[in-house]
Amino acid sequence: MHSSVNGTVSKIVKTAHLSGAPKTVIEISVTQPKEPVAEAAGPQKVSATVAATVTPGVSTATEAASVQKVNATVAATVTPGGNTTAEPADATEVAEEPQEKKVAEPENEFFPPLNPKTATKEELLERIKEAGIVGMGGAAFPMFVKLSPPPGKKIEKLIINAAECEPYLTRDYRLILEYTDQLIGGIEILMKITGVECVIGIEDNKPEAIVLLKNKLGSRSDIRVEVLPVKYPQGAEKMLIYAITGKKVPPGKLPVDVGVVMQNVGTAISVWKAVTEGTPQTDAWITVTGEGIKTPKNLIVPVGTPISEILEFCGGLTPEAIKVIAGGPMMGTNLYDYNAPVMKATSGLLVLTSDTSAPVEAIACLRCGKCVEVCPVNLLPTRLSRFSKLQRFEDAEEAGIFSCMECGCCAYECPAGIPLVQWIRLGKKELLKIKAQERKSA
Ligand code: SF4
Ligand code: SF4
């Protein structure tokens, strides 16, 4: 079992380029099934212990593995769905030296380091743009766009999302503990660009990280730590904005429409590295976890690293492993090809076993209303999924399908095992295709 967030956790280790990792950034979509099926993606029914932690609206407990940098060459390949026994050939954990908050000696200098204190806002923003920094919270939205509000919009608050986005994932927690100075340095750069104060939103199951941040920040009033109850999906952008500001982002609108710009912990650290080290964003910070992986870890891996090599680096799959999910149990995507690469926004790899992932045969809707009860944005998931299934996409749009944040709570709760969020996701994709087609022919 992994240690809990409140327990002892080990140091961060970084991967050098694994044997098959490309030297340049590659972004390739993971193959998706054409039709949504119960197991295709989204919420996974997990063991009783974990299931109890992800009930919407109720406290959750995430698990913590270490965040690690890795130097490894992995000899064996992984057969999807199968067990692997090969060990990394030369796995080496590299102890991190504590770093001062200063302009660091660059490891891989692509751009000249900038001094964040003397660089202008324009220089800092340009660096973020040229370093290719995107949000690492899931959407991979280009950061310089977020930091450049359109005319008429004004950024009034910067929020750092330190609430782990899904159960099982612990990378942000470890990053706060091990990269505290770089995180605060990145936040200061973002504050300089936006000219606003910052709130760090963090869940109360990370007491060590909360204490550390508060100690580091001391009596500063420009960066505030706001401790929030653990509640899935607290880490979702719109939910966190509401929890901190009381403002609701309207359907189809962006946080900047309510004066907020939000970044996650890893993104802020990437900003620090891009500015002070001249390093482009070529690494992903990921949690590798689940009962089906032999040695769970938090890793920093080069973007483009084949997932098979990361699984090998973590000791391979246990004999009970039945599926690997890119992301977390609620919003992640089943992997069908373990040679798929890690991408910038990959948050984790979750390996489930037959004990922790129970495939369910969908039956007809029971009209129990549970999906409606748990939807955090007050949608009617059963209606949306039905419209999507019937290809009544315009009706689905009218019913608010684009307000769905794909949190998976509805499908997780559905006693009939209906893949609600998968149908909703499909409906959104189809609608976007229709709209693109309309724009083309206009
Ligand atoms: S409809 Fe969307 S937002 Fe509502 S519970 Fe389902 S997945 Fe979450
Ligand atoms: S939770 Fe499932 S069974 Fe209940 S109303 Fe919603 S779709 Fe129907």
Side-chain angles (χ1 to χ4, degrees):
M1 286 295 291
H2 329 310
S3 55
S4 79
V5 153
N6 300 325
T8 307
V9 283
S10 60
K11 280 281 209 176
I12 291 178
V13 171
K14 176 175 182 174
T15 69
H17 288 285
L18 299 180
S19 61
K23 297 281 190 271
T24 51
V25 176
I26 300 176
E27 294 198 353
I28 304 170
S29 298
V30 174
T31 311
Q32 297 274 6
K34 285 200 173 62
E35 289 289 315
V37 291
E39 289 186 84
Q44 308 292 318
K45 294 288 181 188
V46 290
S47 67
T49 315
V50 177
T53 68
V54 296
T55 306
V58 178
S59 289
T60 64
T62 49
E63 299 177 32
S66 58
V67 179
Q68 300 183 325
K69 293 180 180 179
V70 181
N71 285 308
T73 302
V74 178
T77 54
V78 180
T79 307
N83 177 32
T84 59
T85 53
E87 295 296 328
D90 59 352
T92 311
E93 295 198 356
V94 183
E96 286 290 291
E97 293 298 327
Q99 294 183 27
E100 295 294 320
K101 197 167 71 180
K102 63 182 182 184
V103 177
E105 279 295 310
E107 279 176 8
N108 300 299
E109 188 183 318
F110 286 81
F111 308 107
L114 296 172
N115 183 331
K117 287 197 168 37
T118 54
T120 64
K121 287 181 192 180
E122 291 71 26
E123 285 170 334
L124 294 171
L125 193 57
E126 183 59 25
R127 171 56 51 86
I128 287 170
K129 184 178 176 182
E130 63 193 359
I133 297 179
V134 300
M136 298 173 91
F141 202 77
M143 188 191 250
F144 82 93
V145 177
K146 267 193 178 184
L147 295 172
S148 313
K153 309 278 182 213
K154 191 166 174 264
I155 297 172
E156 290 161 4
K157 194 173 287 296
L158 168 68
I159 295 178
I160 295 297
N161 186 349
E164 217 75 56
C165 54
E166 289 202 58
Y168 275 98
L169 304 183
T170 54
R171 62 172 188 171
D172 291 346
Y173 169 62
R174 289 305 314 173
L175 286 171
I176 296 169
L177 291 183
E178 297 179 40
Y179 286 74
T180 326
D181 290 337
Q182 292 87 339
L183 169 62
I184 294 172
I187 290 172
E188 286 169 343
I189 293 169
L190 293 170
M191 287 166 63
K192 183 168 179 179
I193 293 170
T194 56
V196 297
E197 296 185 347
C198 174
V199 179
I200 302 173
I202 186 166
E203 291 170 308
D204 60 11
N205 65 340
K206 303 174 183 66
E208 276 179 72
I210 293 166
V211 169
L212 185 59
L213 281 171
K214 285 189 170 175
N215 285 344
K216 287 273 182 190
L217 293 170
S219 58
R220 286 181 73 153
S221 59
D222 56 342
I223 306 178
R224 186 165 59 80
V225 177
E226 180 137 344
V227 181
L228 303 159
V230 187
K231 185 171 72 172
Y232 181 79
Q234 190 76 277
E237 194 171 60
K238 290 184 179 181
M239 303 307 291
L240 194 58
I241 289 172
Y242 181 69
I244 289 175
T245 67
K247 291 179 181 172
K248 289 184 179 172
V249 181
K253 298 288 181 187
L254 296 170
V256 74
D257 290 302
V258 294
V260 173
V261 66
M262 183 180 288
Q263 303 294 346
N264 89 338
V265 168
T267 321
I269 295 170
S270 295
V271 167
W272 171 254
K273 285 165 70 69
V275 170
T276 65
E277 297 175 5
T279 317
Q281 189 186 38
T282 55
D283 286 336
W285 324 77
I286 63 169
T287 299
V288 185
T289 186
E291 290 73 9
I293 190 80
K294 286 185 180 161
T295 50
K297 297 177 190 299
N298 281 306
L299 298 172
I300 303 170
V301 296
V303 171
T305 303
I307 283 165
S308 57
E309 298 198 5
I310 296 169
L311 298 175
E312 281 301 317
F313 184 78
C314 294
L317 308 183
T318 66
E320 296 78 27
I322 58 164
K323 69 170 74 166
V324 179
I325 295 167
M330 302 297 280
M331 300 175 74
T333 307
N334 260 12
L335 285 172
Y336 293 90
D337 179 359
Y338 295 176
N339 289 314
V342 162
M343 295 184 281
K344 283 187 185 181
T346 303
S347 55
L349 297 173
L350 172 61
V351 188
L352 295 179
T353 62
S354 46
D355 283 346
T356 53
S357 174
V360 279
E361 198 70 42
I363 57 171
C365 174
L366 306 170
R367 301 275 184 259
C368 66
K370 283 190 176 170
C371 56
V372 181
E373 260 173 50
V374 297
C375 178
V377 284
N378 302 319
L379 296 171
L380 300 174
T382 181
R383 200 169 155 84
L384 292 175
S385 70
R386 197 166 158 71
F387 281 147
S388 180
K389 196 171 180 178
L390 296 172
Q391 304 197 356
R392 289 169 56 184
F393 300 120
E394 283 78 10
D395 289 334
E397 185 175 14
E398 213 164 287
I401 197 167
F402 283 119
S403 296
C404 170
M405 61 174 84
E406 300 179 19
C407 66
C409 294
C410 52
Y412 184 83
E413 280 295 309
C414 177
I418 299 171
L420 295 163
V421 66
Q422 290 87 347
W423 279 115
I424 292 171
R425 202 175 281 155
L426 186 76
K428 286 164 85 173
K429 273 190 190 153
E430 289 302 319
L431 267 167
L432 288 174
K433 263 195 243 166
I434 292 168
K435 285 177 186 298
Q437 196 57 46
E438 283 171 357
R439 273 198 302 275
K440 229 192 251 176
S441 48

